[in-house]
Amino acid sequence: MEAFHSITGKIAPLPAANIDTDVIMPKQFLKGIDRQGLDRGVFFDLRFLADGSPNPDFILNQPGWEQAAFLLVGANFGCGSSREHAVWGLNQLGIRALIGTSFAGIFDDNCQRNGVLTLTLSEEAYQQLSEATLDAAHNEITISLEHQTLCFNNQTLHFEVSALKREMLLGGGSAVDWTLQYEPDIAQFEKQHFAQCPWLQRVKGQQDE
């Protein structure tokens, strides 16, 4: 996945609470055998009209919020089913961070594993940022994961993220890559464990019964 260090971009408001993964990525886009084209499916029923044309009422289709890199989202964003396609699609659409007051647990974990930063702000900080997103002429912000700061309109907010989330996103590797950095420790544990419990280790040449 692409590493996240410091990114500057536009932020768009999507304040409705309880936006679930079926809204983010409708079920008809789950049929493919790969991840290609999922950016088309993101918020499909909101972004497009029945004839397939862009919905002018949807925020990401409006001048000043097009191609936003960040979304300011409502409470419990990403609830519903655990479909990882929702995060893949957001990433393909160019969304690098989601900022809100709460996120569904599995969705939050999927974001962490796929290069999308989720930031949980206090209600006060959320309202401060919300005011900035409403002005298309001044809706550019900078998020530094390294310094854990969010800067906009000459204001700076400090945020907290877990050490694991920060490490994985700064490194840009997958969960497997992150695990493999501890390979010597894993090998040492296996050696000690099998020495203490030798019956757990298959004998060379032994056949499964």
Side-chain angles (χ1 to χ4, degrees), residues 3 8 13 15 27 37 57 62 65 78-79 81 93 99 103 116 118 121-122 125 129 164 171 180 205:
T8 298
K27 58 185 178 299
D57 293 331
Q62 296 175 10
W65 289 280
C79 56
S81 70
L93 193 64
I99 306 166
F103 296 89
V116 177
T118 51
L121 301 182
S122 68
L129 184 57
L164 175 60
L180 288 177

Side-chain angles (χ1 to χ4, degrees), residues 21-116:
T21 51
D22 191 50
V23 173
I24 302 170
M25 182 62 63
K27 58 185 178 299
Q28 64 266 33
F29 293 94
L30 310 182
K31 300 177 181 178
I33 60 173
D34 56 32
R35 304 183 188 184
Q36 301 304 311
L38 291 176
D39 53 332
R40 170 74 176 172
V42 178
F43 303 122
F44 184 82
D45 295 328
L46 299 176
R47 286 170 62 205
F48 301 101
L49 299 174
D51 63 2
S53 62
N55 179 2
D57 293 331
F58 187 61
I59 189 67
L60 294 180
N61 293 332
Q62 296 175 10
W65 289 280
E66 298 164 317
Q67 299 181 338
F70 313 116
L71 293 179
L72 186 71
V73 298
N76 199 31
F77 188 82
C79 56
S81 70
S82 60
R83 64 188 70 173
E84 199 168 4
H85 295 68
V87 180
W88 297 338
L90 286 166
N91 210 332
Q92 289 181 22
L93 193 64
I95 303 300
R96 297 305 314 278
L98 302 166
I99 306 166
T101 57
S102 61
F103 296 89
I106 295 177
F107 177 83
D108 193 14
D109 187 61
N110 285 339
C111 285
Q112 175 182 300
R113 294 172 183 273
N114 288 280
V116 177

Side-chain angles (χ1 to χ4, degrees), residues 50 79 87 111 118 131 133-134 137 145 155 162 172 177 179 187 199 202 208-209:
C79 56
V87 180
C111 285
T118 51
E131 293 176 9
T133 68
L134 300 177
L145 182 56
Q155 298 184 64
S162 71
D177 294 325
T179 301
W199 60 88
R202 176 184 292 183
D208 291 329
E209 294 182 1

Side-chain angles (χ1 to χ4, degrees), residues 8-22:
T8 298
K10 296 179 180 181
I11 183 169
L14 200 65
N18 302 313
I19 291 180
D20 64 30
T21 51
D22 191 50

